[in-house]
Structure formats: C-alpha cells, structure tokens
Amino acid sequence: MHGSIFDFADNEALGSVISVDTASVVIRIDNLEQLKCLQVNRLVVLQSSKPGQHLIGIVVKITRKQDTRELDEDEMVDEDLLPSDNNLVKITLIGTLLDREGNNRDIFRRTLETVPEIDANCFSLEEDRLTRFMQVVSDVEMDGPKLTLGHFALDEKAKAYLNGNKLFQRHAVIVGSTGSGKSWTTARLLDQIAKLPQANVILFDIHGEYRPLRREAFRHLRIAGPSDIENNQSLEDGILHLPYWLLDYEALLSLFVDRSDQNAPNQSMIITSTIVEAKKSMLYPEKHKEILDNFTINSPVPFDINTVLNEIKRLNIERVPSANNKTKQGPYNGKLSRLIGRLEAKVNDKRLAFLFKPPDECMEMVWLEKMIHLVLAGREEQHDHSGGIKIIDFSEVPSDVLPLMVSLLAQIVFSTCQWTITKKRHPIAIMCDEAQLYIPERIAADSSDAVAVKIFERIAKEGRKYGIGLVVISQRPSEVNRTVLSQCNNMIAMRLASGDDQRVVKRLLPDSLGSFGDLLPVLDVGESLVVGDASLLPTRVRIAEPTMKPDSQTVAFWDRWNDSNAVSDIPNAVRSWRKQSMK
C-alpha cells in the first residue's frame, strides 16, 4: 500500500496461505532456503483482505515433511489440496497494522479486523522494516530522543524501542535470576534517562552496586552509617539521615510496640498522646498557627524523642491521690516497662543512629524542605543543574529495619507529590532494586514489613495520577507482593530458573503468546523478554551494553582459584564488620 512501511514486492514473499483458522493460518513455502531462514517466534506480515491493512503474525511451528498425517488435525486442510512435499509454517495472528497515508502515523491494534484470504502472500519482518514496525507498536515518535534497550535477538540489525511514557506511567518490573543481567538492564535504562534534560529518578540501591555510575546526571546519596554520625556528615556530604520524626503513626507503632504484649493497647495510646504533645511543643502559635489548626500525629514536625521517653518513664512510676490522703498506683504504673525497654534499645542502637541520632540541622523545620528538594527535584531544578538521577545507597542499613526505611523514603516521595498542585508536579520514577527484600509477598500482619508493603501498594495503585512511576527489580518475582506486581503493566524478564518465578511471569503474558514463557529458562545472559504497554508485542531483546557498568559482576571462581597470586583482605573486612561501615 502507498505510504505503508510494508511496501513489499511480490518476489519477496515467503509463501502463500493454504489454511485459515480463527486466529491462525498455515502457509506453504516452496523455497527450501527461505524455510531454513525462518525461526520460531519471528514476526511475519500477511496481506489482508481489507485495503489499507496488514495482518501481523508470529511463527509458532515450522514443518518440513512428506507425510501430512504427522500434523495435528486441527491445523491441516484436505490432503488432496497439498503437494507431496509440504514445507509448512503455522502462524498465530496477533494484530493488525492500519496503514495511514500522508502525515498520519500508522497504528497497530491487537485485534483482528479481518483474516487473510487463501493464497494471500506472507512476508518476513526483519531489519529496517522490523525497526520501523516496532516504533509503531511502541508508539515512539520518529523525532526526538528514543528509549531503546538494544536490538532484537532474532535480528541484530533491528533496534528494540520502548515507549518511555507508557513504561513509567504504567509501572514496570525487571526480573531475572542472579547473573542474568538485571543490573545491566537497569544501568542501560538509566543511560537513556540520563540524556534527558529534566530527568527525575530515584534508585534504591540496596547493596551499593550502582556506585560506579558516575556522570553529571547522577547524584549519589547514602543512608548514614555509624562512622558518618561520628564525623557529623550531612546532606552536603551526600549523607542522608531519616530522622524518627518522619515516621507516620503505623510505622512508629511497628517500631516501638510489641503487638503480642498484653499491654500493647495501652502502649499504643501512650505513644500516640506523648508524641502528639511533643510535636505540638515544637510549634509556636503565632508562627505555626495553620499547622496547629490542622495538626495530626502524622504531621511531619520534629520532636525530641527523649521528651517522649521521659514522659513514658514518669507514667510508668506515677502514683495518684486516693482516699485518706494516701496515694495509689497510676493507671499506667508498671505497665510500660517493656515499651520503655524497647524504646531505649532502639534509641541507643548505633546501627540506627541515622534514625535516632541525626545532626542538629535535621531537627529544624526548614531541613525537611531542603532534603526533599535534593531527593525529589528534577535535574534542572537542582542548584548545580545535575543529579536528576538520585542513587540512594542503603547498604549500611540493618536488614531488620530495611523495609521500614526504604518505605519511609517512598512515603516521603508519595506524600510530597500528593500535596503538590497538579500543574506543578514534576514526574518522578522510583526504581526498587532487590524489591523482594522490602516488598515481600509473605508477611506477618502486625510486622513493620506490613507497613512497608502497604505504602508500595498505594504507590502502585495511585502513583500514576500523582506523577509517580514504579519500577520493581527482583531476582525472585514469586516473592514480591502480588498486588504491586499486578499493577505493573510492563515487564522485562531475563532468564528465570525457578518454576515458581516462571509461572508469575507467564501469568502476565497474553494467552495467544503463552509459548513465549517457555523461553524464560533458556534466555542467554543479557537477553530479555519484553512485553507490556510500552511494547504491545512480546519481543526477545538483547540488551545493549550500558555506558557505565554496575558493580555486580559475577566472580569467576575457577579462574580466580587458578591465579598465581592470592587476594584477601580479612583484617579490613573484620574492621568494617566491627564498626558496621565500609568507609
């Protein structure tokens, strides 16, 4: 058709249609060399019976035989219609390309408005035509920066494009077993984002493997470790504190109150009342009237944790007047001892110094705005016009509070975007590396993990309308919260060895393309299966090498064992272990 990306000549045809079903066709290929070039899962184009359209199909079976009885009954025609030598290809129809002339762009729809006629020609989709078709499928603008992960595994000359808007608007998941190339893929995505002048991304780096990504667009922040507290390092040094007063009501209770304690209701009530009073004491009526008029326990207002602790201690030993000028035990006397013990243990735990021993500046009202600007503002909004991509290193955060701390930062992002007027919202993507550690599927209802999961579930469900995109990265998708995964409408799946993980991914594939899921255990390192709103057709993509590589290279055991020189650093390892810091 004139103006179509599929201006094929008749002599380019692979073969012609000899059988048509509801959603599949069988074509006969007379040229054996063409048959040898075809591969399962390759895309093909078929002539439609309707002008201005082409049908798109995917090769699901290739057969060369002389006895037609070897083929299934439901995919064959009358044997009398077939020649003795049958080079047959079964194709599943997956959509329609509407050819637009002039300035109108071609449109791909995952519907079948027609089916091909008998003897309709079939053409292979490859090289430049494949690239242009995938631009149509991904709804990628021909001009301007494009998001490309690499090239198609079946055709190295064709680039694999994604729709950047739909990838982040509708959330995404990147999954793959250890060593399959997840970090490589993440770095490749960040490479592409870094080219944009208004880039705005937060990456939760759990193990510090993205430290090598250094460029003007990147800003590295690290959750404070014990040595950072001692050296009084702050935001200007790239050190991020998350003071306890940022925690909301549910998070505070999960941190301080043992729900199994028989006095847990009393403890919860006392924690609530004492924190509310401690926060109010920091607000001056003449200066903070609007805040006081609408104040709740979740208002992000600094307060002194020692004031709270001293008040709880007082209530625990309080005696109140009784008859005959005597005194009796107060209503909470002796009932708050375990709460006091838990609170003191947390406050004095050096591992949690980033939470309970923040610098003095973190206890001032103006600090929150300064911190949020550094973490949330886009590249051009930063004072040095750099750092649109914020990589936040959580490697020194204790594992038992990791979910709570990661979710606290996510909550800060969500709340800030929620309370920003619509026309002033600058979209931001949150990339969650090793998501199974803090967005788990199996959790105790009263644990701090439940608080973390609740926050990410809300971001997954509501984030899009507030300009927040979510990218979940995990080596065990079966261990990631299903509600969060169900909201991710894009998937980049690397090699997966576990049957449970494969089943999670297969559930996200359309029924007509379920066979793509069989590729998951055999994908090569750096190969991925891409499917979702950002690319309407599942495609097998080889990820291109990122400009900057993360520190996630698998150690070559055999080669290292065969080295002539030994490599070891046990003294420094023990020293770092003892001081709980790699610095």
Side-chain angles (χ1 to χ4, degrees), residues 410-447:
Q411 176 70 63
I412 291 171
V413 173
F414 182 82
S415 297
T416 304
C417 293
Q418 183 184 22
W419 291 104
T420 302
I421 60 175
T422 303
K423 64 181 181 180
K424 292 290 187 178
R425 286 186 186 129
H426 187 56
I428 186 168
I430 301 176
M431 303 184 74
C432 302
D433 191 35
E434 301 291 359
Q436 75 279 357
L437 298 178
Y438 48 93
I439 320 177
E441 168 61 14
R442 290 175 288 276
I443 52 174
D446 57 352
S447 69

Side-chain angles (χ1 to χ4, degrees), residues 212-449:
L213 275 61
R214 301 282 175 177
R215 206 159 153 187
E216 185 183 6
F218 291 83
R219 183 184 302 281
H220 288 262
L221 300 170
R222 180 164 51 83
I223 305 300
S227 61
D228 300 312
I229 306 297
E230 294 174 3
N231 296 326
N232 200 32
Q233 294 192 306
S234 60
L235 280 177
E236 287 74 15
D237 307 302
I239 303 302
L240 187 62
H241 294 79
L242 298 174
Y244 54 86
W245 56 264
L246 288 172
L247 295 168
D248 65 10
Y249 174 69
E250 290 293 334
L252 285 167
L253 291 187
S254 70
L255 197 60
F256 294 140
V257 177
D258 182 356
R259 301 295 179 97
S260 63
D261 193 317
Q262 62 179 357
N263 286 316
N266 284 331
Q267 294 174 7
S268 299
M269 185 172 61
I270 292 301
I271 279 287
T272 301
S273 61
T274 53
I275 289 177
V276 165
E277 291 305 315
K279 284 188 173 184
K280 283 185 175 180
S281 69
M282 300 289 289
L283 299 172
Y284 303 103
E286 64 278 5
K287 186 177 181 181
H288 303 116
K289 185 179 184 304
E290 288 187 350
I291 299 177
L292 283 167
D293 288 345
N294 300 281
F295 181 83
T296 71
I297 191 173
N298 286 334
S299 298
V301 174
F303 69 92
D304 187 353
I305 193 68
N306 290 315
T307 300
V308 172
L309 183 56
N310 291 335
E311 175 63 12
I312 295 174
K313 286 180 177 179
R314 185 190 70 78
L315 292 171
N316 194 50
I317 61 174
E318 183 184 36
R319 297 189 68 82
V320 297
S322 65
N324 302 322
N325 294 322
K326 294 183 179 180
T327 61
K328 63 179 181 179
Q329 291 183 341
Y332 305 111
N333 190 298
K335 297 179 180 179
L336 304 176
S337 298
R338 296 187 66 180
L339 174 61
I340 293 169
R342 283 173 62 86
L343 208 159
E344 286 183 328
K346 298 287 187 184
V347 171
N348 295 321
D349 188 342
K350 287 190 175 181
R351 301 176 310 146
L352 304 180
F354 67 89
L355 192 63
F356 293 109
K357 303 290 184 183
D360 292 341
E361 67 169 344
C362 295
M363 303 304 291
E364 299 173 359
M365 291 284 283
V366 295
W367 173 84
L368 181 59
E369 182 180 338
K370 180 180 176 182
M371 185 272 282
I372 290 178
H373 181 84
L374 190 68
V375 173
L376 264 74
R379 183 173 175 181
E380 286 299 312
E381 294 178 87
Q382 300 289 350
H383 71 278
D384 54 359
H385 300 296
S386 67
I389 299 173
K390 281 74 65 168
I391 298 178
I392 302 179
D393 185 347
F394 283 83
S395 59
E396 294 191 24
V397 175
S399 59
D400 54 333
V401 295
L402 177 66
L404 198 60
M405 294 303 101
V406 175
S407 65
L408 171 57
L409 206 50
Q411 176 70 63
I412 291 171
V413 173
F414 182 82
S415 297
T416 304
C417 293
Q418 183 184 22
W419 291 104
T420 302
I421 60 175
T422 303
K423 64 181 181 180
K424 292 290 187 178
R425 286 186 186 129
H426 187 56
I428 186 168
I430 301 176
M431 303 184 74
C432 302
D433 191 35
E434 301 291 359
Q436 75 279 357
L437 298 178
Y438 48 93
I439 320 177
E441 168 61 14
R442 290 175 288 276
I443 52 174
D446 57 352
S447 69
S448 60
D449 287 8

Side-chain angles (χ1 to χ4, degrees), residues 33-265:
E33 293 304 315
Q34 288 181 314
L35 186 72
K36 290 179 180 179
C37 293
L38 270 183
Q39 299 181 46
V40 171
N41 293 328
R42 183 178 285 278
L43 294 175
V44 294
V45 181
L46 295 105
Q47 292 175 330
S48 170
S49 58
K50 192 171 182 179
Q53 294 184 4
H54 282 91
L55 298 172
I56 308 300
I58 188 169
V59 176
V60 295
K61 189 173 184 179
I62 301 173
T63 309
R64 181 172 183 257
K65 61 174 75 71
Q66 295 190 359
D67 187 357
T68 62
R69 289 173 297 178
E70 290 182 29
L71 290 174
D72 298 335
E73 293 181 0
D74 62 353
E75 57 187 74
M76 290 307 304
V77 294
D78 192 301
E79 294 183 11
D80 293 334
L81 299 177
L82 301 173
S84 58
D85 187 18
N86 303 308
N87 300 329
L88 303 178
V89 177
K90 183 177 180 181
I91 295 168
T92 296
L93 299 176
I94 56 177
T96 306
L97 183 81
L98 306 180
D99 306 328
R100 304 299 192 196
E101 296 186 8
N103 294 326
N104 292 329
R105 297 171 59 191
D106 294 338
I107 298 173
F108 175 76
R109 291 179 180 165
R110 291 210 57 189
T111 58
L112 298 176
E113 300 189 6
T114 63
V115 291
E117 298 175 338
I118 298 296
D119 289 334
N121 284 333
C122 175
F123 305 91
S124 178
L125 189 53
E126 53 194 25
E127 297 186 10
D128 184 56
R129 284 188 177 116
L130 178 57
T131 297
R132 290 160 60 200
F133 171 67
M134 292 310 295
Q135 286 180 319
V136 172
V137 169
S138 302
D139 194 23
V140 174
E141 296 286 349
M142 298 306 175
D143 299 322
K146 304 177 183 66
L147 175 57
T148 172
L149 289 179
H151 59 262
F152 294 102
L154 294 178
D155 191 337
E156 295 188 0
K157 295 181 179 179
K159 290 183 178 180
Y161 289 106
L162 294 179
N163 184 298
N165 286 327
K166 293 179 180 177
L167 182 70
F168 295 106
Q169 282 174 346
R170 302 172 188 180
H171 309 317
V173 57
I174 301 174
V175 296
S177 301
T178 299
S180 61
K182 292 188 311 302
S183 301
W184 186 287
T185 303
T186 303
R188 172 67 182 176
L189 267 178
L190 294 176
D191 256 0
Q192 306 283 293
I193 298 169
K195 298 174 183 177
L196 305 177
Q198 305 295 339
N200 199 14
V201 172
I202 295 175
L203 170 65
F204 296 147
D205 185 7
I206 305 305
H207 301 305
E209 61 185 281
Y210 294 94
R211 290 171 187 156
L213 275 61
R214 301 282 175 177
R215 206 159 153 187
E216 185 183 6
F218 291 83
R219 183 184 302 281
H220 288 262
L221 300 170
R222 180 164 51 83
I223 305 300
S227 61
D228 300 312
I229 306 297
E230 294 174 3
N231 296 326
N232 200 32
Q233 294 192 306
S234 60
L235 280 177
E236 287 74 15
D237 307 302
I239 303 302
L240 187 62
H241 294 79
L242 298 174
Y244 54 86
W245 56 264
L246 288 172
L247 295 168
D248 65 10
Y249 174 69
E250 290 293 334
L252 285 167
L253 291 187
S254 70
L255 197 60
F256 294 140
V257 177
D258 182 356
R259 301 295 179 97
S260 63
D261 193 317
Q262 62 179 357
N263 286 316

